[in-house]
Amino acid sequence: ALYDRFLVRLMVRPIQSDRAWAEMMLGRADAPRDTSLVLTREQVSTLSYGIEQVQIGTSTMRSMLRLRSELVRNGVTVSDRRWRQCLPLMKFRAAKEGRVETLPKDMLILQHALWTTPDQISRVAEAVLGTAVPALLVARKTEAELVGEVTALRSPELPPDQYLDKAITLNTKLLAEIKRLEDVAKEAGAVPEVVRVLKWMRSVQQEIAVSIAKKTGATDSASSSIGALLADLGADAGNSQGIGFR
């Protein structure tokens, strides 16, 4: 019963470094504090008043209903009392941004409030991301998948005779994934992590496109041919300084 009274739950894993552990035991650990995350008494008072003025938006309620169904489908049961207690968390996020109505993105904090046992953390996080900011979930999954493929293409162990085919395949995949993420991101607005992933994907795709152009015999003297080829590959001919690929 006591455990259930804690609304926000964060997993704190054991210290891995022997030195850090020893310093902690000797009382010498002095971790740097990010003061930008600290709220003054005045800010707490202002936000406490602001929370009372915030309404739960219709779009937020629709997303919460979808999230509730998704959690049940994944075997995660959340009490009605806990759902109710989560409302101030979302209102706080809205008030901090100066809004008087919540948006689905305010549900992101719920990934730290809706799980009961550690084995539920990943399921809850994925469900929250998928309903609150779908673009963020797509961005994380896409990046995780592409990182391995990009690393494999850069590997010196990849046989030279296989490079071009794999580069063309990955370039085509990147173009499709960029378009997919851009379409999903339009609904979410400017989410910093999504913007970062898109920027990385575009950069890698252009590097690969330039590498393909070189492998297929394009030369600096045939600028018009290079421009046409890069355009077909989805690269920016004016910014074709590819590095890291063959």
Side-chain angles (χ1 to χ4, degrees):
L2 176 62
Y3 177 70
D4 191 50
R5 295 299 185 272
F6 293 96
L7 182 56
V8 177
R9 297 162 174 164
L10 298 174
M11 282 291 293
V12 180
R13 302 190 181 282
I15 297 174
Q16 298 300 312
S17 165
D18 287 346
R19 177 175 178 177
W21 186 86
E23 289 179 344
M24 180 273 296
M25 292 297 291
L26 295 172
R28 298 175 183 174
D30 187 20
R33 296 179 60 192
D34 186 350
T35 56
S36 66
L37 301 178
V38 179
L39 295 175
T40 64
R41 290 180 180 273
E42 291 75 16
Q43 288 175 315
V44 171
S45 177
T46 299
L47 287 170
S48 296
Y49 173 76
I51 288 175
E52 298 176 0
Q53 316 307 312
V54 175
Q55 301 295 318
I56 298 297
T58 303
S59 59
T60 305
M61 183 53 64
R62 290 199 187 101
S63 295
M64 288 181 68
L65 287 168
R66 289 198 300 272
L67 174 59
R68 183 168 176 263
S69 297
E70 183 67 15
L71 289 176
V72 170
R73 190 177 69 83
N74 283 281
V76 178
T77 302
V78 181
S79 69
D80 295 336
R81 178 167 60 83
R82 178 162 288 270
W83 277 114
R84 180 71 181 179
Q85 291 174 330
C86 285
L87 296 182
L89 291 177
M90 295 185 290
K91 289 183 176 182
F92 175 85
R93 196 176 189 278
K96 194 170 184 296
E97 293 186 358
R99 289 182 277 110
V100 294
E101 184 174 292
T102 62
L103 296 173
K105 68 177 184 178
D106 296 321
M107 294 167 53
L108 286 174
I109 195 171
L110 300 188
Q111 63 186 297
H112 304 300
L114 298 180
W115 60 270
T116 302
T117 56
D119 64 289
Q120 296 178 345
I121 294 177
S122 60
R123 282 179 285 163
V124 169
E126 183 167 330
V128 170
L129 288 175
T131 52
V133 188
L136 188 54
L137 180 60
V138 173
R140 289 183 179 179
K141 285 189 171 183
T142 302
E143 182 181 30
E145 179 182 344
L146 289 173
V147 163
E149 297 184 42
V150 170
T151 301
L153 187 64
R154 283 188 168 127
S155 173
E157 297 180 3
L158 179 66
D161 60 330
Q162 296 181 19
Y163 178 82
L164 185 57
D165 286 343
K166 290 187 178 296
I168 292 174
T169 299
L170 183 53
N171 182 74
T172 302
K173 181 175 182 177
L174 276 164
L175 287 172
E177 293 296 339
I178 289 171
K179 177 65 167 59
R180 183 169 74 101
L181 185 54
E182 286 176 339
D183 290 342
V184 177
K186 287 177 183 177
E187 300 179 5
V191 180
E193 187 172 344
V194 175
V195 173
R196 177 191 64 76
V197 173
L198 272 172
K199 184 177 180 180
W200 172 76
M201 290 169 66
R202 292 185 185 117
S203 174
V204 171
Q205 185 275 317
Q206 290 189 6
E207 288 184 39
I208 294 175
V210 171
S211 175
I212 293 172
K214 292 178 180 179
K215 285 289 184 181
T216 52
T219 62
D220 292 337
S221 60
S223 58
S224 60
S225 297
I226 290 178
L229 179 58
L230 292 181
D232 289 339
L233 295 170
D236 180 359
N239 183 27
S240 58
Q241 299 297 317
I243 57 174
F245 296 100
R246 303 177 194 182

